[in-house]
Coordinates of all heavy atoms in Angstrom, one line a residue:
M1 N 12.9 -38.2 0.1 CA 11.6 -38.3 0.7 C 11.3 -37.2 1.7 O 10.2 -36.7 1.8 CB 11.4 -39.7 1.4 CG 11.1 -40.8 0.5 SD 9.9 -40.5 -0.7 CE 8.5 -41.2 -0.1
E2 N 12.3 -36.8 2.4 CA 12.1 -35.8 3.4 C 11.8 -34.4 2.7 O 11.0 -33.7 3.3 CB 13.4 -35.6 4.2 CG 13.2 -34.8 5.5 CD 14.5 -34.9 6.3 OE1 15.0 -36.0 6.6 OE2 14.9 -33.8 6.8
I3 N 12.4 -34.1 1.6 CA 12.1 -32.9 0.9 C 10.6 -32.9 0.4 O 9.9 -31.9 0.5 CB 13.1 -32.7 -0.3 CG1 14.5 -32.5 0.2 CG2 12.6 -31.6 -1.2 CD1 15.5 -32.5 -0.9
F4 N 10.2 -34.1 -0.1 CA 8.8 -34.2 -0.6 C 7.8 -33.9 0.6 O 6.8 -33.2 0.4 CB 8.5 -35.6 -1.2 CG 7.2 -35.7 -1.7 CD1 6.7 -35.1 -2.8 CD2 6.2 -36.5 -1.0 CE1 5.4 -35.2 -3.3 CE2 4.9 -36.7 -1.4 CZ 4.6 -36.0 -2.6
A5 N 8.1 -34.4 1.8 CA 7.2 -34.2 2.9 C 7.2 -32.7 3.3 O 6.2 -32.1 3.6 CB 7.7 -35.0 4.1
T6 N 8.4 -32.1 3.2 CA 8.5 -30.6 3.5 C 7.7 -29.8 2.5 O 7.0 -28.9 2.9 CB 9.9 -30.2 3.5 OG1 10.7 -31.0 4.5 CG2 10.1 -28.7 3.9
L7 N 7.8 -30.1 1.2 CA 7.1 -29.4 0.2 C 5.6 -29.6 0.3 O 4.8 -28.7 0.1 CB 7.6 -29.9 -1.2 CG 9.0 -29.4 -1.6 CD1 9.3 -30.0 -3.0 CD2 9.1 -27.9 -1.6
T8 N 5.2 -30.8 0.7 CA 3.8 -31.1 0.9 C 3.2 -30.2 2.1 O 2.1 -29.7 2.0 CB 3.5 -32.6 1.2 OG1 4.1 -33.3 0.1 CG2 2.1 -32.9 1.3
A9 N 4.0 -30.2 3.1 CA 3.6 -29.4 4.3 C 3.5 -27.9 3.9 O 2.6 -27.2 4.3 CB 4.6 -29.6 5.4
V10 N 4.5 -27.4 3.1 CA 4.4 -26.0 2.7 C 3.2 -25.7 1.8 O 2.5 -24.7 2.0 CB 5.8 -25.6 2.0 CG1 5.7 -24.3 1.3 CG2 6.9 -25.6 3.0
A11 N 2.9 -26.6 0.9 CA 1.8 -26.5 0.0 C 0.5 -26.5 0.8 O -0.4 -25.7 0.5 CB 1.8 -27.6 -1.0
Q12 N 0.4 -27.4 1.8 CA -0.8 -27.4 2.6 C -1.0 -26.1 3.4 O -2.1 -25.6 3.5 CB -0.8 -28.6 3.6 CG -2.0 -28.8 4.4 CD -3.2 -29.0 3.6 OE1 -3.2 -29.7 2.6 NE2 -4.4 -28.5 4.0
A13 N 0.1 -25.6 4.0 CA 0.0 -24.4 4.7 C -0.4 -23.2 3.8 O -1.2 -22.3 4.2 CB 1.4 -24.1 5.4
A14 N 0.1 -23.2 2.6 CA -0.3 -22.1 1.7 C -1.7 -22.2 1.3 O -2.5 -21.2 1.2 CB 0.6 -22.2 0.4
A15 N -2.2 -23.4 1.1 CA -3.7 -23.6 0.8 C -4.5 -23.2 2.0 O -5.6 -22.6 1.8 CB -3.9 -25.1 0.4
D16 N -4.1 -23.5 3.2 CA -4.9 -23.1 4.4 C -4.9 -21.6 4.5 O -5.9 -21.0 4.9 CB -4.3 -23.7 5.6 CG -4.6 -25.2 5.7 OD1 -5.5 -25.7 4.9 OD2 -3.9 -25.9 6.4
N17 N -3.7 -21.0 4.2 CA -3.6 -19.5 4.3 C -4.5 -18.9 3.3 O -5.2 -17.9 3.6 CB -2.2 -19.1 4.1 CG -1.9 -17.7 4.5 OD1 -2.7 -17.1 5.3 ND2 -0.8 -17.2 4.1
N18 N -4.6 -19.4 2.1 CA -5.4 -18.8 1.0 C -6.9 -18.9 1.4 O -7.7 -18.1 1.1 CB -5.2 -19.4 -0.3 CG -3.8 -18.9 -0.9 OD1 -3.3 -17.9 -0.5 ND2 -3.3 -19.7 -1.8
A19 N -7.2 -20.1 2.0 CA -8.6 -20.3 2.4 C -9.0 -19.3 3.5 O -10.1 -18.7 3.5 CB -8.8 -21.7 3.0
G20 N -8.1 -19.0 4.4 CA -8.3 -18.0 5.5 C -8.5 -16.6 4.9 O -9.4 -15.9 5.3
F21 N -7.7 -16.3 3.9 CA -7.8 -15.0 3.2 C -9.2 -14.9 2.5 O -9.8 -13.8 2.5 CB -6.7 -14.7 2.3 CG -5.4 -14.4 2.9 CD1 -4.2 -14.8 2.4 CD2 -5.3 -13.6 4.1 CE1 -3.0 -14.5 3.0 CE2 -4.2 -13.3 4.7 CZ -3.0 -13.7 4.2
A22 N -9.6 -16.0 1.9 CA -10.8 -16.0 1.1 C -12.0 -15.8 2.1 O -13.0 -15.0 1.8 CB -11.0 -17.3 0.4
L23 N -11.9 -16.4 3.2 CA -13.0 -16.3 4.2 C -13.1 -14.9 4.8 O -14.1 -14.3 5.1 CB -12.9 -17.4 5.3 CG -13.1 -18.8 4.8 CD1 -12.8 -19.8 6.0 CD2 -14.5 -19.0 4.3
I24 N -11.9 -14.3 5.1 CA -11.8 -12.9 5.6 C -12.4 -12.0 4.5 O -13.2 -11.1 4.8 CB -10.4 -12.5 5.9 CG1 -10.0 -13.3 7.2 CG2 -10.3 -11.0 6.2 CD1 -8.5 -13.1 7.6
G25 N -12.0 -12.2 3.3 CA -12.6 -11.4 2.2 C -14.1 -11.5 2.0 O -14.8 -10.5 1.8
A26 N -14.6 -12.7 2.2 CA -16.0 -12.9 2.1 C -16.8 -12.2 3.2 O -17.8 -11.6 3.0 CB -16.3 -14.4 2.1
G27 N -16.2 -12.3 4.4 CA -16.8 -11.6 5.5 C -16.8 -10.1 5.4 O -17.8 -9.4 5.6
L28 N -15.7 -9.6 4.9 CA -15.6 -8.1 4.7 C -16.6 -7.7 3.5 O -17.2 -6.7 3.6 CB -14.2 -7.8 4.3 CG -13.2 -7.7 5.4 CD1 -11.8 -7.5 4.9 CD2 -13.6 -6.6 6.4
G29 N -16.7 -8.5 2.5 CA -17.6 -8.2 1.4 C -19.0 -8.1 1.8 O -19.7 -7.2 1.5
A30 N -19.4 -9.1 2.6 CA -20.8 -9.1 3.1 C -21.1 -7.9 4.0 O -22.1 -7.3 3.9 CB -21.1 -10.4 3.8
G31 N -20.1 -7.6 4.9 CA -20.3 -6.5 5.8 C -20.3 -5.2 5.1 O -21.2 -4.3 5.4
L32 N -19.5 -5.0 4.1 CA -19.4 -3.7 3.4 C -20.7 -3.6 2.5 O -21.2 -2.4 2.4 CB -18.2 -3.6 2.5 CG -16.9 -3.4 3.3 CD1 -15.7 -3.5 2.3 CD2 -16.9 -2.1 4.0
A33 N -21.2 -4.6 2.0 CA -22.5 -4.6 1.2 C -23.6 -4.1 2.1 O -24.4 -3.3 1.8 CB -22.8 -5.9 0.6
T34 N -23.6 -4.7 3.3 CA -24.7 -4.3 4.3 C -24.6 -2.9 4.8 O -25.6 -2.1 4.8 CB -24.7 -5.3 5.5 OG1 -24.8 -6.6 5.0 CG2 -25.8 -5.0 6.5
I35 N -23.3 -2.5 5.1 CA -23.1 -1.1 5.5 C -23.5 -0.1 4.4 O -24.1 0.9 4.6 CB -21.7 -0.9 6.0 CG1 -21.4 -1.6 7.3 CG2 -21.3 0.6 6.1 CD1 -20.0 -1.7 7.7
G36 N -23.0 -0.4 3.2 CA -23.4 0.5 2.0 C -24.8 0.6 1.8 O -25.4 1.7 1.5
A37 N -25.6 -0.5 1.9 CA -27.0 -0.4 1.8 C -27.7 0.4 2.9 O -28.6 1.2 2.6 CB -27.6 -1.8 1.8
G38 N -27.2 0.2 4.1 CA -27.7 1.0 5.2 C -27.5 2.5 5.0 O -28.4 3.3 5.2
I39 N -26.3 2.9 4.6 CA -26.0 4.3 4.3 C -26.9 4.8 3.2 O -27.5 5.9 3.2 CB -24.5 4.5 4.0 CG1 -23.7 4.2 5.3 CG2 -24.3 5.9 3.5 CD1 -22.2 4.2 5.0
G40 N -27.0 4.1 2.1 CA -27.8 4.5 0.9 C -29.3 4.7 1.2 O -29.9 5.7 0.9
I41 N -29.8 3.7 2.0 CA -31.3 3.8 2.3 C -31.5 4.9 3.3 O -32.5 5.6 3.2 CB -31.8 2.5 2.8 CG1 -31.8 1.5 1.6 CG2 -33.2 2.6 3.4 CD1 -32.2 0.1 2.0
G42 N -30.6 5.1 4.2 CA -30.7 6.3 5.1 C -30.7 7.6 4.4 O -31.5 8.5 4.7
R43 N -29.8 7.7 3.4 CA -29.8 9.0 2.7 C -31.1 9.2 1.9 O -31.6 10.3 1.8 CB -28.6 9.0 1.8 CG -27.3 9.2 2.6 CD -26.1 9.5 1.7 NE -26.4 10.7 0.9 CZ -25.5 11.5 0.4 NH1 -24.3 11.3 0.7 NH2 -25.9 12.5 -0.3
I44 N -31.6 8.1 1.3 CA -32.8 8.2 0.5 C -34.0 8.6 1.4 O -34.8 9.5 1.1 CB -33.1 6.9 -0.2 CG1 -32.2 6.6 -1.4 CG2 -34.6 6.8 -0.7 CD1 -32.3 5.3 -2.0
G45 N -34.0 8.0 2.6 CA -35.1 8.3 3.5 C -35.1 9.7 4.0 O -36.1 10.4 4.0
G46 N -33.9 10.2 4.3 CA -33.8 11.6 4.8 C -34.1 12.6 3.7 O -34.8 13.6 3.9
S47 N -33.6 12.3 2.5 CA -33.9 13.2 1.4 C -35.4 13.2 1.0 O -36.0 14.2 0.7 CB -33.1 12.8 0.2 OG -31.7 13.0 0.5
A48 N -36.0 12.0 1.1 CA -37.4 11.9 0.7 C -38.3 12.7 1.7 O -39.2 13.4 1.4 CB -37.9 10.5 0.7
V49 N -38.0 12.5 3.0 CA -38.7 13.3 4.0 C -38.5 14.8 3.9 O -39.5 15.6 4.0 CB -38.3 12.8 5.4 CG1 -38.9 13.7 6.5 CG2 -38.8 11.4 5.7
E50 N -37.3 15.2 3.6 CA -37.0 16.6 3.4 C -37.8 17.1 2.2 O -38.4 18.2 2.2 CB -35.5 16.8 3.2 CG -35.2 18.3 3.1 CD -33.7 18.5 2.9 OE1 -32.9 17.5 3.2 OE2 -33.3 19.5 2.4
G51 N -37.8 16.4 1.1 CA -38.5 16.8 -0.1 C -40.0 16.8 0.1 O -40.7 17.8 -0.4
M52 N -40.6 15.9 0.9 CA -42.0 15.9 1.2 C -42.3 17.1 2.1 O -43.4 17.7 2.0 CB -42.4 14.6 1.9 CG -42.5 13.5 0.9 SD -43.2 12.0 1.7 CE -41.8 10.9 1.6
A53 N -41.4 17.5 3.0 CA -41.7 18.6 3.9 C -41.7 19.9 3.1 O -42.4 20.9 3.4 CB -40.6 18.7 5.0
R54 N -40.8 20.0 2.0 CA -40.7 21.2 1.2 C -41.9 21.3 0.2 O -42.4 22.4 -0.1 CB -39.4 21.2 0.5 CG -38.2 21.5 1.3 CD -37.0 21.4 0.5 NE -35.8 21.6 1.4 CZ -35.0 22.6 1.4 NH1 -35.3 23.7 0.7 NH2 -34.0 22.6 2.2
Q55 N -42.3 20.2 -0.3 CA -43.4 20.2 -1.3 C -44.4 19.1 -0.9 O -44.4 18.0 -1.5 CB -42.9 20.0 -2.7 CG -42.1 21.1 -3.2 CD -41.8 20.9 -4.7 OE1 -41.5 19.7 -5.1 NE2 -41.7 22.0 -5.5
P56 N -45.3 19.4 0.0 CA -46.3 18.3 0.4 C -47.2 17.8 -0.8 O -47.6 16.6 -0.7 CB -47.2 19.0 1.4 CG -46.4 20.2 1.9 CD -45.5 20.6 0.8
E57 N -47.4 18.6 -1.8 CA -48.2 18.2 -2.9 C -47.6 17.1 -3.7 O -48.2 16.4 -4.5 CB -48.7 19.4 -3.8 CG -47.5 20.1 -4.5 CD -46.8 21.1 -3.7 OE1 -47.1 21.3 -2.5 OE2 -45.9 21.7 -4.3
A58 N -46.3 17.0 -3.6 CA -45.5 16.0 -4.4 C -45.1 14.8 -3.6 O -44.3 14.0 -4.0 CB -44.3 16.6 -5.0
A59 N -45.7 14.6 -2.4 CA -45.4 13.6 -1.5 C -45.6 12.2 -2.1 O -44.7 11.3 -1.9 CB -46.2 13.7 -0.2
A60 N -46.6 12.0 -2.8 CA -46.9 10.6 -3.4 C -45.8 10.2 -4.4 O -45.3 9.1 -4.4 CB -48.3 10.6 -4.0
R61 N -45.5 11.2 -5.2 CA -44.4 10.9 -6.2 C -43.1 10.6 -5.6 O -42.3 9.8 -6.0 CB -44.4 12.0 -7.3 CG -45.6 12.0 -8.2 CD -45.4 13.0 -9.3 NE -44.5 14.1 -9.0 CZ -44.4 15.2 -9.6 NH1 -45.1 15.4 -10.7 NH2 -43.5 16.1 -9.3
I62 N -42.8 11.5 -4.6 CA -41.5 11.3 -3.9 C -41.4 10.0 -3.2 O -40.4 9.3 -3.2 CB -41.2 12.5 -2.9 CG1 -41.1 13.8 -3.7 CG2 -40.0 12.2 -2.0 CD1 -41.1 15.0 -2.8
Q63 N -42.5 9.6 -2.5 CA -42.5 8.3 -1.8 C -42.4 7.1 -2.8 O -41.6 6.2 -2.5 CB -43.8 8.2 -1.0 CG -43.9 7.0 -0.2 CD -45.2 6.9 0.6 OE1 -46.1 7.7 0.4 NE2 -45.2 6.0 1.6
T64 N -43.0 7.2 -3.9 CA -42.9 6.1 -4.9 C -41.5 6.0 -5.4 O -40.9 4.9 -5.5 CB -43.9 6.4 -6.1 OG1 -45.2 6.5 -5.6 CG2 -43.8 5.3 -7.1
A65 N -40.9 7.1 -5.7 CA -39.5 7.1 -6.2 C -38.5 6.6 -5.1 O -37.6 5.8 -5.4 CB -39.1 8.5 -6.7
A66 N -38.8 7.0 -3.9 CA -37.9 6.6 -2.8 C -38.0 5.0 -2.6 O -37.0 4.4 -2.3 CB -38.3 7.3 -1.5
L67 N -39.2 4.5 -2.6 CA -39.4 3.1 -2.5 C -38.7 2.3 -3.6 O -38.1 1.2 -3.4 CB -40.9 2.7 -2.4 CG -41.6 3.1 -1.1 CD1 -43.1 2.8 -1.3 CD2 -41.0 2.3 0.0
I68 N -38.8 2.8 -4.8 CA -38.1 2.1 -5.9 C -36.6 2.2 -5.8 O -35.9 1.1 -6.0 CB -38.6 2.7 -7.3 CG1 -40.0 2.4 -7.6 CG2 -37.7 2.3 -8.4 CD1 -40.6 3.2 -8.7
L69 N -36.1 3.3 -5.4 CA -34.6 3.4 -5.2 C -34.2 2.5 -4.0 O -33.1 1.9 -4.1 CB -34.3 4.9 -4.9 CG -34.4 5.8 -6.1 CD1 -34.2 7.3 -5.7 CD2 -33.4 5.4 -7.2
A70 N -34.9 2.5 -3.0 CA -34.6 1.6 -1.8 C -34.5 0.2 -2.3 O -33.6 -0.6 -1.9 CB -35.5 1.8 -0.7
A71 N -35.5 -0.3 -3.1 CA -35.5 -1.6 -3.6 C -34.3 -1.9 -4.4 O -33.7 -3.0 -4.3 CB -36.8 -1.9 -4.3
L72 N -33.9 -1.0 -5.3 CA -32.7 -1.2 -6.1 C -31.5 -1.3 -5.3 O -30.6 -2.2 -5.5 CB -32.6 -0.1 -7.1 CG -33.6 0.0 -8.2 CD1 -33.5 1.2 -9.0 CD2 -33.5 -1.3 -9.1
I73 N -31.3 -0.5 -4.2 CA -30.2 -0.6 -3.3 C -30.2 -1.9 -2.6 O -29.1 -2.5 -2.5 CB -30.2 0.6 -2.4 CG1 -29.8 1.9 -3.1 CG2 -29.2 0.4 -1.2 CD1 -29.9 3.1 -2.3
E74 N -31.3 -2.4 -2.1 CA -31.4 -3.7 -1.4 C -31.0 -4.8 -2.4 O -30.3 -5.8 -2.0 CB -32.8 -3.9 -0.9 CG -33.1 -3.1 0.4 CD -32.2 -3.6 1.5 OE1 -31.9 -4.8 1.7 OE2 -31.9 -2.7 2.3
G75 N -31.4 -4.7 -3.6 CA -31.0 -5.7 -4.6 C -29.5 -5.8 -4.8 O -28.9 -6.9 -4.8
V76 N -28.8 -4.6 -4.9 CA -27.4 -4.6 -5.0 C -26.7 -5.2 -3.7 O -25.7 -6.0 -3.8 CB -26.9 -3.2 -5.3 CG1 -25.4 -3.1 -5.2 CG2 -27.3 -2.8 -6.7
A77 N -27.2 -4.8 -2.6 CA -26.7 -5.3 -1.3 C -26.8 -6.9 -1.2 O -25.9 -7.6 -0.8 CB -27.3 -4.7 -0.1
L78 N -28.0 -7.3 -1.6 CA -28.3 -8.8 -1.6 C -27.3 -9.5 -2.5 O -26.8 -10.6 -2.2 CB -29.7 -9.1 -1.9 CG -30.1 -10.5 -1.9 CD1 -30.0 -11.1 -0.5 CD2 -31.6 -10.7 -2.4
F79 N -27.1 -8.9 -3.7 CA -26.2 -9.5 -4.7 C -24.8 -9.6 -4.1 O -24.1 -10.7 -4.2 CB -26.1 -8.7 -6.0 CG -25.2 -9.2 -7.0 CD1 -25.4 -10.3 -7.7 CD2 -24.0 -8.5 -7.2 CE1 -24.5 -10.8 -8.6 CE2 -23.1 -9.0 -8.1 CZ -23.3 -10.1 -8.8
G80 N -24.3 -8.5 -3.4 CA -23.0 -8.6 -2.8 C -22.9 -9.6 -1.7 O -21.9 -10.3 -1.6
A81 N -23.9 -9.7 -0.9 CA -23.9 -10.7 0.2 C -23.9 -12.1 -0.3 O -23.2 -13.0 0.2 CB -25.1 -10.5 1.1
V82 N -24.7 -12.4 -1.4 CA -24.8 -13.7 -2.0 C -23.4 -14.1 -2.6 O -22.9 -15.2 -2.4 CB -25.9 -13.8 -3.0 CG1 -25.8 -15.0 -3.9 CG2 -27.2 -13.8 -2.4
I83 N -22.8 -13.2 -3.3 CA -21.5 -13.5 -3.8 C -20.5 -13.8 -2.7 O -19.6 -14.7 -2.8 CB -21.0 -12.3 -4.7 CG1 -21.9 -12.2 -5.9 CG2 -19.5 -12.5 -5.1 CD1 -21.9 -13.4 -6.8
A84 N -20.5 -13.0 -1.6 CA -19.6 -13.2 -0.5 C -19.8 -14.6 0.1 O -18.9 -15.3 0.5 CB -19.8 -12.1 0.5
F85 N -21.1 -15.0 0.3 CA -21.4 -16.3 0.8 C -21.0 -17.4 -0.1 O -20.6 -18.5 0.3 CB -22.8 -16.4 1.2 CG -23.2 -15.6 2.5 CD1 -24.3 -14.8 2.5 CD2 -22.4 -15.7 3.6 CE1 -24.6 -14.1 3.6 CE2 -22.7 -14.9 4.7 CZ -23.8 -14.1 4.7
Q86 N -21.1 -17.2 -1.4 CA -20.6 -18.2 -2.3 C -19.1 -18.4 -2.3 O -18.6 -19.5 -2.3 CB -21.0 -17.9 -3.8 CG -22.5 -18.1 -4.0 CD -22.8 -17.8 -5.5 OE1 -22.1 -17.1 -6.2 NE2 -24.0 -18.3 -5.9
I87 N -18.4 -17.3 -2.1 CA -16.9 -17.4 -1.9 C -16.6 -18.2 -0.6 O -15.7 -19.0 -0.6 CB -16.3 -16.0 -1.9 CG1 -16.4 -15.3 -3.3 CG2 -14.8 -16.0 -1.4 CD1 -16.0 -13.9 -3.3
A88 N -17.3 -17.9 0.4 CA -17.1 -18.6 1.7 C -17.4 -20.1 1.6 O -16.8 -20.9 2.2 CB -17.9 -17.9 2.8
G89 N -18.4 -20.4 0.8 CA -18.8 -21.8 0.6 C -17.8 -22.6 -0.1 O -17.8 -23.8 0.0
K90 N -16.9 -22.0 -0.9 CA -15.9 -22.8 -1.6 C -14.8 -23.3 -0.7 O -14.1 -24.3 -1.0 CB -15.3 -21.9 -2.7 CG -16.1 -21.7 -3.9 CD -15.3 -21.0 -4.9 CE -16.0 -21.1 -6.3 NZ -15.2 -20.7 -7.4
Y91 N -14.7 -22.7 0.5 CA -13.6 -23.2 1.4 C -14.1 -23.7 2.7 O -14.8 -23.7 3.4 CB -12.7 -22.0 1.7 CG -12.0 -21.5 0.5 CD1 -12.4 -20.4 -0.3 CD2 -10.9 -22.2 0.0 CE1 -11.7 -20.0 -1.4 CE2 -10.2 -21.8 -1.1 CZ -10.6 -20.7 -1.8 OH -10.0 -20.2 -2.9

């Protein structure tokens, strides 16, 4: 009986440890998705402004393309954050 209690305690500690790793991974995943989106949108914004400064007659097309690209990046970041929160919700 004593061995069974020890094995149960070890199994419970391993399960708690895996839950901790899953929660750390979920937090890191959500944070990295947010950081990546911020970097991506910052680069798009800077490049769009630079392009508009070089060719003011193409400003409308550049702005439209930049908004579409920013929306796509936000979609990927939102997907990453939702997956991370689903992982966190399991534990």
